[in-house]
Amino acid sequence: MSWQQVYQAIRKLLVVTVIGLAGGALPALAQTPALSGRVSSQEEGNMEGVLVRAKKTGSTIAVSVVSDAQGRYSFPADRLDAGQYAITIRATGYMLEGPNAVTVGAQKNASADLKLRKATVSETASQLSDSEWLMSWPGTPQQKGAVRGCNHCHTYERIMRSKFTPEQALATIERMSRYTPASFPYLMQQNAPRRVGGGASTPESRERLQNARRAMAEFISSINLSKGATWSYEFKILPRPTGKATKVIYTEFDLPERTRQPHDVIVDSQGYAWYASFGEQILGRLDPKTGAVKEWPIPVVSPERNKGVLDVQFDADENVWVGNGFQKAIQMFDRKTETFKTYPMAPEFDGDQTELLFLAPKNYKVDGKVWVMNNGEWSIMRVELATGKWERFTAYQVPRPSHYTVLSDSQNNAWFTVIGRNTIGRIDAKTGEIKLFDTNEPDSGPRRGMVDAQDRVWAALNRTDSVTMFDPKTQKFKSWSTGIPEFYAYDVWADRHGEAWASTEFADRVVRIDTASGQMTTYLMPGPTNMRRSHGDNRPKPAHFWVGANHTASIVRLEPLE
């Protein structure tokens, strides 16, 4: 072989090696962890499925990992800088004895074996998810169902630690009914006068409402601490993560103010996470590389009406759109100019109950129109952006069941969920024809979801533990049950890798579903999350799941390691 041939052979080998390294074809070199150790207790020995959380002093970012079957946990070197870290754990029924602080040095090879002890009943009560409270309560499904909505604003622990008698509980329920759904303990807003009383307008309906509240108050006083120093029932606890569910890294990003409620979090193609505050006129953007947050005030259209934003959506250019609730308008945020454009509701359609929560701008370039859900009147609206002309579509005659979200497919046809029924609907963008499709699951209550790249419609079945997918080509539904008691699926996000992710307000657990095999992985979140919108980053494989922790003013990223 000539020296030229040798040179070319070496050159080819180097090129192949570089390509392999860039594409991840070769295995990564073993990385020394920044912090590692074992988790154990006297009761169990080495413990699997314990979440270990490290937060550096003065930082707005916390990182959590999960112990494996041998009780080992490990923080990768690139996730913890040198410094002092507070250590906490999540393992319902256990408390951390120590150590609760660790110093990571410049060499990033710190170690700490964590000792856990059995929690007291009172300590365990502070660790329960809302699903676990529901599982534990004695009572009928109807009694539990009456209390379900209370966790929209706060956890059930707050209720269960009360000592209210039926009369005191009733007074509290009546007071709570005067606050908007966007209220929580750190930011309260009262309903506008037109909405006080939950819509009860006749003597008969007001009496029914009062009877329902009285029954709810009696149930609460039978399961709280009004009759003793502790609870009269045994706590039922969901299992800790095992196997694949322990191979994950969580990152929590604190938002600038405690009043932020990141109800909807969505991730753009550059990896930035966008959110709006549920009870404030705030749009924000998080840079996950640095934890830096930038926020913009959303214009107030109607100062006399309640403030706050629910839905956050991208259009095809990744400009950010928000449904502005009682502000009787939708807003588009231009990313290049960092300015808002407002599309106010037409006066002929505006009323006391106008509440524009959801919108579907993704495919507006098809015909120049955006679909909007008027949740206050259970009607679907459409606005032509160039002219500001609005149209109204009604799927049901009076009485109309509760509509929820609106979506659009690639032809800008509207798809909507009817949480008051078992129904998903479609509006033909060209003809206005409305078709309704039954999920065939009684009392399922479709809530939030998405339309994927194949124009299939996904929805969480909010009165069940399941999510569903409707294929317009076959006009058939396919559903997956998470198998978690009292899960009550809120939203579902289908990634581009064939997996669906289900979230819930109740269980502090995200379920990852392989839609081809039906295999599921259930991830326990590092803290109480009260999850609403499901979304994620499709760039890596597996995808990264993102969600707002609605009651703790933070955003959480879940990175599966396999």
Side-chain angles (χ1 to χ4, degrees):
M1 182 182 291
S2 69
W3 72 265
Q4 291 98 338
Q5 290 174 316
V6 172
Y7 170 78
Q8 291 297 331
I10 294 174
R11 187 171 181 269
K12 288 180 181 179
L13 178 62
L14 288 173
V15 169
V16 170
T17 301
V18 170
I19 292 173
L21 289 170
L26 297 180
L29 296 176
Q31 188 182 57
T32 302
L35 170 63
S36 61
R38 288 185 187 269
V39 184
S40 64
S41 67
Q42 183 176 346
E43 290 77 11
E44 296 188 33
N46 294 332
M47 297 178 65
E48 183 179 17
V50 176
L51 274 70
V52 181
R53 182 175 184 264
K55 188 171 187 179
K56 187 177 180 181
T57 302
S59 177
T60 60
I61 301 174
V63 180
S64 296
V65 295
V66 188
S67 61
D68 64 16
Q70 289 73 45
R72 297 173 302 195
Y73 73 91
S74 177
F75 289 87
D78 60 353
R79 299 308 176 100
L80 302 183
D81 296 327
Q84 183 81 5
Y85 285 83
I87 303 298
T88 56
I89 60 100
R90 186 171 198 183
T92 303
Y94 288 90
M95 299 293 290
L96 175 63
E97 276 193 321
N100 56 19
V102 172
T103 299
V104 175
Q107 299 302 314
K108 294 191 177 183
N109 57 357
S111 64
D113 290 336
L114 306 180
K115 301 297 182 181
L116 275 54
R117 65 167 174 82
K118 201 70 173 173
T120 66
V121 172
S122 182
E123 289 169 336
T124 301
S126 296
Q127 300 170 337
L128 296 180
S129 68
D130 288 336
S131 288
E132 289 165 329
W133 278 112
L134 284 166
M135 290 164 54
S136 303
W137 291 342
T140 66
Q142 292 74 22
Q143 287 174 315
K144 295 181 183 184
V147 186
R148 266 185 58 196
C150 295
N151 86 328
H152 210 65
C153 302
H154 53 72
T155 65
Y156 291 147
E157 182 195 359
R158 180 180 290 258
I159 305 171
M160 292 301 97
R161 288 195 183 276
S162 75
K163 299 181 179 180
F164 293 149
T165 64
E167 294 75 18
Q168 292 169 326
L170 178 60
T172 302
I173 292 167
E174 290 175 340
R175 175 171 58 84
M176 292 291 183
S177 71
R178 294 193 286 270
Y179 295 114
T180 70
S183 295
F184 77 135
Y186 295 93
L187 182 66
M188 310 298 291
Q189 283 191 81
Q190 287 204 358
N191 284 312
R194 59 187 172 275
R195 296 186 65 82
V196 170
S201 57
T202 67
E204 292 79 9
S205 59
R206 286 194 293 270
E207 183 178 1
R208 286 195 300 270
L209 177 64
Q210 193 65 11
N211 288 340
R213 288 176 176 172
R214 191 173 291 109
M216 179 178 170
E218 291 172 353
F219 177 61
I220 287 173
S221 67
S222 73
I223 56 176
N224 67 0
L225 295 179
S226 63
K227 295 181 174 64
T230 190
W231 297 272
S232 61
Y233 43 90
E234 182 181 355
F235 293 154
K236 297 178 181 179
I237 298 172
L238 292 168
R240 295 197 305 269
T242 60
K244 189 175 178 179
T246 67
K247 296 174 173 60
V248 60
I249 298 176
Y250 304 92
T251 310
E252 299 169 84
F253 303 89
D254 294 341
L255 297 179
E257 300 292 340
R258 190 63 184 81
T259 55
R260 299 293 185 265
Q261 294 184 77
H263 189 290
D264 279 32
V265 173
I266 57 176
V267 183
D268 67 22
S269 59
Q270 299 174 26
Y272 290 103
W274 294 79
Y275 66 93
S277 185
F278 193 25
E280 303 169 286
Q281 297 293 116
I282 296 289
L283 176 68
R285 184 191 67 196
L286 165 70
D287 182 348
K289 294 179 181 178
T290 63
V293 173
K294 186 173 183 178
E295 295 186 328
W296 297 267
I298 298 172
V300 174
V301 177
S302 303
E304 77 284 0
R305 297 194 183 194
N306 296 121
K307 313 300 189 296
V309 176
L310 196 152
D311 201 12
V312 182
Q313 299 281 351
F314 291 133
D315 62 21
D317 299 318
E318 291 196 330
N319 293 312
V320 187
W321 293 70
V322 295
N324 212 179
F326 294 110
Q327 287 293 300
K328 62 178 184 183
I330 61 174
Q331 313 268 3
M332 187 274 282
F333 179 74
D334 188 308
R335 295 178 56 159
K336 294 181 180 178
T337 63
E338 297 190 1
T339 58
F340 287 91
K341 184 168 184 179
T342 301
Y343 297 91
M345 171 74 107
E348 63 266 28
F349 293 127
D350 187 27
D352 283 346
Q353 303 300 320
T354 295
E355 188 179 13
L356 307 180
L357 292 184
F358 298 96
L359 71 172
K362 182 179 179 180
N363 300 297
Y364 83 84
K365 290 186 177 181
V366 172
D367 54 15
K369 300 176 181 180
V370 171
W371 294 96
V372 185
M373 182 66 76
N374 183 352
N375 293 75
E377 295 183 351
W378 315 132
S379 59
I380 303 99
M381 314 294 295
R382 182 168 64 174
V383 57
E384 187 174 49
L385 301 183
T387 63
K389 179 183 177 182
W390 287 73
E391 304 169 84
R392 175 190 282 160
F393 300 83
T394 304
Y396 297 88
Q397 299 302 314
V398 176
R400 296 196 294 269
S402 304
H403 295 48
Y404 202 74
T405 196
V406 64
L407 311 161
S408 68
D409 63 22
S410 61
Q411 301 304 308
N412 210 26
N413 300 305
W415 291 87
F416 59 94
T417 60
V418 186
I419 195 172
R421 297 278 177 91
N422 312 312
T423 309
I424 292 174
R426 177 185 183 272
I427 305 176
D428 188 290
K430 295 179 179 178
T431 66
E433 178 188 13
I434 299 176
K435 290 185 178 180
L436 301 174
F437 305 92
D438 195 310
T439 64
N440 297 316
E441 296 196 37
D443 199 31
S444 57
R447 195 161 190 167
R448 296 197 71 167
M450 63 172 287
V451 176
D452 66 19
Q454 301 176 55
D455 277 346
R456 299 177 302 181
V457 184
W458 296 78
L461 302 180
N462 189 233
R463 297 196 182 105
T464 76
D465 66 359
S466 303
V467 300
T468 193
M469 182 271 290
F470 178 73
D471 189 338
K473 295 178 182 177
T474 62
Q475 296 200 357
K476 292 182 179 180
F477 286 90
K478 184 176 182 180
S479 298
W480 295 264
S481 167
T482 65
I484 299 176
E486 312 289 354
F487 186 78
Y488 303 114
Y490 191 99
D491 195 9
V492 58
W493 174 63
D495 67 29
R496 69 183 180 92
H497 307 303
E499 297 187 309
W501 301 74
S503 63
T504 173
E505 293 179 85
F506 294 86
D508 289 343
R509 283 159 172 80
V510 173
V511 180
R512 173 186 171 193
I513 306 166
D514 184 323
T515 59
S517 68
Q519 180 182 357
M520 298 191 189
T521 306
T522 300
Y523 299 99
L524 174 63
M525 300 301 278
T529 40
N530 193 258
M531 292 174 281
R532 311 294 176 86
R533 177 72 174 278
S534 293
H535 204 262
D537 188 346
N538 266 317
R539 295 175 302 165
K541 185 178 182 179
H544 294 174
F545 178 83
W546 286 78
V547 74
N550 212 43
H551 290 171
T552 57
S554 61
I555 293 173
V556 186
R557 178 180 63 199
L558 185 164
E559 299 174 66
L561 299 180
E562 63 173 41

